[in-house]
């Protein structure tokens, strides 16, 4: 299958696909198979993390792929327990050894863990690892404006990407606006929601029927038209294909507002508020 995926230019000049594959829980031989299937479908961005315990599978999928390494965009993330500068450097190196790759296209701090207050130190490690050629682009996950302001103030460097929870029940209007204003691309984790009933929502169902698309396709298109970069996870070739086929239709502004209007104050999937949540 040949799918043309639009490209997004990051604030450091690197170009990234406008949709990617989440790899959480894709492990072992079946995980490698799911990832190689996705690459065959047209995916070029794979999103992993040190804590997913699947970086080896990601590296194996890259090696088995018929697509050359330079045309793939591989991401991993630094866990909270390794925010100290030296630990962060070792973790980036170990992460690459796991994949048997020479570099990451993108490396992110997984959570700010503000109570531990080491995220600026971790960010400095990513800045240095980028200078050394271990990482092409550096970013963060789940950082609030206050955390991003501090990175800018203390290091002078803002992330290229901020990966956050974003789906119709938690539409992140303020965070999206902040990221856009500061030249940061917002990447959406759990873009279709997880363990909630967003995929059965009547409003989205009606919009999907109007476009002859599935609910999932409408939600993913909503993300891209908001300016966000979704990374849906799927091991099913049929779903993988379906999730890519979102660039041949356009939601109206009214439809975008209808979907955004589904947001809830308690819309987070697992009540993980980055202001207090700690991830290790």
């Amino acid at each position: 299958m040949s799918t043309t995926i639009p490209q997004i230019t990051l604030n450091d000049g690197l170009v990234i696909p406008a949709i990617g594959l989440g790899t959480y829980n894709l492990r072992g031989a079946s995980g490698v198979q799911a990832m190689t299937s996705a690459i065959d479908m047209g995916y070029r961005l794979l999103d992993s993390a040190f804590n997913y315990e699947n970086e080896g599978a990601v590296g194996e999928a890259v090696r088995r792929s018929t697509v050359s390494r330079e045309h793939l965009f591989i991401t991993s993330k630094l866990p909270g327990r390794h925010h100290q500068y030296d630990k962060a450097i070792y973790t980036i190196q170990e992460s690459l050894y796991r994949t048997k790759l020479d570099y990451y296209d993108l490396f992110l701090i997984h959570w700010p863990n503000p109570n531990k207050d080491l995220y600026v130190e971790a960010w400095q490690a990513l800045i240095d690892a980028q200078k050394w050629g271990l990482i092409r682009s550096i970013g963060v996950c789940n950082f609030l404006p206050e955390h991003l302001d501090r990175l800018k103030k203390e290091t002078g460097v803002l992330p290229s990407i901020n990966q956050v929870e974003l789906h119709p029940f938690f539409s992140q209007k303020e965070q999206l606006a902040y990221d856009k204003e500061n030249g940061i691309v917002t990447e959406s984790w759990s873009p279709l929601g997880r363990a909630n009933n967003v995929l059965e929502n009547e409003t989205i169902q009606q919009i999907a029927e109007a476009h002859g698309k599935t609910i999932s396709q409408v939600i993913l298109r909503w993300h891209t038209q908001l300016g966000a970069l979704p990374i849906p996870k799927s091991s099913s070739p049929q779903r993988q294909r379906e999730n890519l086929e979102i660039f041949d239709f356009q939601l109206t502004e009214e439809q975008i507002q209808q979907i955004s209007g589904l947001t809830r104050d308690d819309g987070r999937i697992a009540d993980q508020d980055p202001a207090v949540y700690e991830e290790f």
Side-chain angles (χ1 to χ4, degrees):
M1 173 184 175
S2 177
T3 300
T4 302
I5 299 173
Q7 305 284 298
I8 297 170
T9 301
L10 303 178
N11 59 19
D12 53 17
L14 206 60
V15 175
I16 185 171
I19 188 170
L21 181 79
T23 70
Y24 179 69
N25 277 344
L26 298 181
R27 300 191 186 103
S30 62
V32 172
Q33 186 175 3
M35 290 181 228
T36 53
S37 159
I39 294 170
D40 288 343
M41 289 287 173
Y43 288 87
R44 296 295 177 263
L45 165 60
L46 302 182
D47 178 83
S48 180
F50 196 86
N51 274 354
Y52 294 176
E53 298 182 339
N54 71 346
E55 290 168 319
V58 170
E60 185 63 21
V62 170
R63 284 184 292 280
R64 291 190 189 183
S65 165
T66 56
V67 176
S68 59
R69 169 69 184 95
E70 62 266 24
H71 293 130
L72 297 172
F73 201 98
I74 309 301
T75 305
S76 197
K77 309 182 189 80
L78 180 75
R81 63 189 177 279
H82 296 327
H83 276 194
Q84 288 175 307
Y85 181 87
D86 287 346
K87 285 185 179 179
I89 295 296
Y90 294 146
T91 302
I92 293 165
Q93 294 167 338
E94 284 292 339
S95 180
L96 283 169
Y97 293 150
R98 289 180 180 188
T99 59
K100 299 180 182 175
L101 300 177
D102 295 329
Y103 64 90
Y104 277 113
D105 298 279
L106 178 66
F107 204 85
L108 310 170
I109 298 175
H110 210 151
W111 287 84
N113 286 21
N115 292 335
K116 296 296 179 187
D117 196 24
L118 292 171
Y119 63 86
V120 177
E121 199 171 318
W123 183 240
Q124 188 60 57
L126 265 64
I127 292 170
D128 290 344
Q130 184 183 33
K131 290 176 184 172
W132 302 334
L134 300 179
I135 308 165
R136 296 176 73 205
S137 193
I138 56 176
V140 296
C141 304
N142 308 298
F143 272 49
L144 299 172
E146 64 206 63
H147 305 137
L148 295 163
D149 285 341
R150 189 169 166 207
L151 292 187
K152 185 176 182 179
K153 180 181 177 184
E154 297 195 24
T155 71
V157 180
L158 275 173
S160 62
I161 278 180
N162 185 18
Q163 186 184 118
V164 300
E165 177 178 356
L166 203 169
H167 47 79
F169 289 165
F170 197 68
S171 64
Q172 292 272 36
K173 182 179 179 182
E174 291 80 13
Q175 187 68 58
L176 271 165
Y178 174 95
D179 290 350
K180 184 177 181 181
E181 184 180 335
N182 287 275
I184 302 168
V185 170
T186 304
E187 198 171 45
S188 313
W189 62 259
S190 287
L192 300 173
R194 189 195 303 156
N196 63 32
N197 61 355
V198 68
L199 294 176
E200 298 165 7
N201 184 268
E202 255 183 62
T203 299
I204 307 176
Q205 176 67 54
Q206 289 170 4
I207 295 171
E209 288 172 1
H211 288 280
K213 291 288 184 177
T214 66
I215 288 181
S216 296
Q217 288 172 323
V218 164
I219 293 173
L220 293 173
R221 188 63 179 137
W222 169 76
H223 282 273
T224 63
Q225 287 189 232
L226 286 179
L229 194 168
I231 44 171
K233 189 207 89 173
S234 179
S235 57
S236 156
Q238 181 184 341
R239 287 282 174 81
Q240 289 174 352
R241 181 191 301 268
E242 179 184 301
N243 289 344
L244 279 189
E245 294 175 342
I246 61 168
F247 299 107
D248 58 353
F249 74 105
Q250 193 89 358
L251 298 173
T252 66
E253 187 57 38
E254 182 185 1
Q255 290 169 337
I256 291 171
Q257 294 308 320
Q258 283 179 306
I259 297 170
S260 296
L262 299 172
T263 194
R264 306 168 178 174
D265 289 341
D266 63 349
R268 293 186 189 276
I269 292 166
D271 196 27
Q272 296 169 319
D273 181 352
V276 293
Y277 180 72
E278 301 280 302
E279 176 269 353
F280 299 101

